[in-house]
Amino acid sequence: MTLKHKWLLAALPFALSMSVSAATLNIKFAEIHPSGYPTVVAEEHMGKKLEAASNGAITFKMFAGGVLGSEKEVIEQAQIGAVQMTRVSLGIVGPVVPDVNVFNMPFVFRDHEHMRKVIDGEIGQEILDKITNSDFNLVALAWMDGGTRSLYTKKPVRSIEDLKGMKIRVQGNPLFLDMMNAMGGNGIAMDTGEIFSALQTGVIDGAENNPPTLLEHNHYQSAKYFTLTGHLILPEPVVMSKTTWEKLTPEQQTLVKTVAREAQMEERALWDAKSAASEAKLKAAGVEFISVDKKPFFDATAPVREKYGAQYADLMKRIAEVQ
Ligand code: BDP
């Protein structure tokens, strides 16, 4: 190699970093779910569109599988701009922006379709705006679909009485502890990443979530009974740190909003396919799906809706009216 070539090789990384760093905004996106999960796939696609449409002014890198921390930690990171974007369950946002708890109430949506109609419409936008307009330095852009949550346990729950005294993991939101306790269980809050070993060691008797999470986070290895209570249908906001948002040009902000909204619509088809496939895989792995009368669960959680929902009476009425 000639001296000139050596010089060129040595200077190349520097030259490259100069050309990208000046105007480039690097987005780290944090996800608790593993690669291949519907939210991750839709968000990666969104990132590719962002990179392409911004002509390289924006770069996007997905950090899946919780490598950047729990959802609670990642939300804190996003608030200070150390993580630029993330998608979290609304359950986690409730303690930070209490106004969003209207969607976190048990049985507030009639069914999955109802939830989708609500998040696609003006109420969905209003709740995103509540997050954006709060003091928490986040911009909420779109909703991912996290399906319907039901109970999964190590011993079968065939009626609400069976749940009595069972230690059930919920997300860290007081509303969910109250909900689980109202249903007769013993609610225990912990991060997603702790559930697998807590189930194995018997620290908890069960948890509550959707089929893709039961499968992909391997909880089914210990919890073989899935009782279809459908008590929560939690949409999942995609948020950007306001610190990052403010570095974008108005055109880039519009672009981010557009591709996030496209991801919202795209993820839903992925979700439906993944849910069906997960259900089949879980059944093949010996998980029993138990149909249960939902009314006792609905009735038992009425005081929770009263306690947390009194302040949202009008909004709840509008949600119920969405057809
Ligand atoms: C899943 C959500 C994820 C939550 C998880 C949990 O997609 O965001 O972290 O539940 O309950 O359904 O921890």
Side-chain angles (χ1 to χ4, degrees), residues 31-33 37 39 71 87-90 92 145-147 149 152 169-171 190-193 195 208-210 213 217 219 234 236 271:
E31 251 292 351
I32 198 80
H33 290 305
Y37 202 89
T39 54
E71 292 192 322
R87 176 225 45 97
V88 289
S89 172
L90 198 63
I92 291 301
D145 187 336
R149 295 170 79 104
Y152 46 80
R169 179 272 179 176
V170 293
Q171 293 179 350
M190 63 177 70
D191 291 336
T192 325
I195 303 171
E208 46 84 52
N209 222 312
N210 49 53
T213 296
H217 291 257
H219 301 163
L234 304 181
E236 312 183 330
W271 180 266

Side-chain angles (χ1 to χ4, degrees), residues 131-151:
I131 301 175
T132 306
N133 297 331
S134 74
D135 294 336
F136 291 94
N137 206 36
L138 300 170
V139 177
L141 298 160
W143 295 106
M144 292 284 151
D145 187 336
T148 301
R149 295 170 79 104
S150 286
L151 275 175

Side-chain angles (χ1 to χ4, degrees), residues 33-305:
H33 290 305
S35 310
Y37 202 89
T39 54
V40 181
V41 174
E43 289 147 9
E44 281 171 339
H45 194 194
M46 173 186 78
K48 288 222 166 66
K49 288 198 223 166
L50 263 184
E51 290 187 334
S54 69
N55 293 320
I58 298 174
T59 71
F60 181 97
K61 193 160 168 23
M62 169 61 72
F63 292 82
V67 292
L68 296 184
S70 68
E71 292 192 322
K72 198 169 154 281
E73 287 162 346
V74 158
I75 275 286
E76 284 163 9
Q77 298 271 312
Q79 284 174 29
I80 58 167
V83 163
Q84 289 70 37
M85 281 183 94
T86 188
R87 176 225 45 97
V88 289
S89 172
L90 198 63
I92 291 301
V93 185
V96 186
V97 187
D99 276 345
V100 307
N101 271 336
V102 66
F103 282 180
N104 283 332
M105 274 186 294
F107 301 104
V108 70
F109 299 112
R110 283 188 300 278
D111 52 29
H112 198 180
E113 266 322 298
H114 181 210
M115 182 279 279
R116 285 180 172 178
K117 291 213 175 97
V118 173
I119 59 170
D120 287 349
E122 59 179 27
I123 303 176
Q125 188 56 48
E126 280 168 31
I127 299 296
L128 291 176
D129 292 345
K130 294 261 188 208
I131 301 175
T132 306
N133 297 331
S134 74
D135 294 336
F136 291 94
N137 206 36
L138 300 170
V139 177
L141 298 160
W143 295 106
M144 292 284 151
D145 187 336
T148 301
R149 295 170 79 104
S150 286
L151 275 175
Y152 46 80
T153 47
K154 294 169 85 165
K155 291 199 180 124
V157 173
R158 298 189 193 279
S159 72
I160 195 163
E161 286 75 35
D162 293 341
L163 184 58
K164 201 142 204 63
M166 279 192 187
K167 290 177 289 205
I168 306 292
R169 179 272 179 176
V170 293
Q171 293 179 350
N173 183 330
L175 193 163
F176 298 151
L177 289 168
D178 282 353
M179 172 198 73
M180 189 46 65
N181 298 343
M183 298 197 296
N186 182 357
I188 297 187
M190 63 177 70
D191 291 336
T192 325
E194 295 168 355
I195 303 171
F196 177 77
S197 70
L199 277 169
Q200 278 199 327
T201 54
V203 168
I204 52 174
D205 303 308
E208 46 84 52
N209 222 312
N210 49 53
T213 296
L214 174 58
L215 178 75
E216 294 298 335
H217 291 257
N218 292 312
H219 301 163
Y220 73 97
Q221 290 178 13
S222 305
K224 297 277 188 204
Y225 298 96
F226 192 59
T227 303
L228 300 165
T229 50
H231 54 275
L232 289 176
I233 308 179
L234 304 181
E236 312 183 330
V238 174
V239 297
M240 179 180 260
S241 171
K242 219 172 249 176
T243 309
T244 311
W245 180 255
E246 281 160 3
K247 289 182 187 150
L248 299 173
T249 63
E251 294 73 31
Q252 288 172 331
Q253 290 179 344
T254 306
L255 170 66
V256 167
K257 275 193 182 160
T258 307
V259 292
R261 186 70 176 187
E262 284 168 11
Q264 167 168 334
M265 304 322 278
E266 184 186 331
E267 187 252 2
R268 138 170 347 179
L270 297 167
W271 180 266
D272 290 340
K274 179 74 184 176
S275 283
S278 303
E279 196 170 321
K281 281 190 191 154
L282 288 166
K283 285 181 178 162
V287 174
E288 185 187 346
F289 280 58
I290 301 171
S291 297
V292 75
D293 179 9
K294 292 184 185 173
K295 180 137 193 317
F297 293 89
F298 178 84
D299 291 346
T301 51
V304 180
R305 281 184 296 281

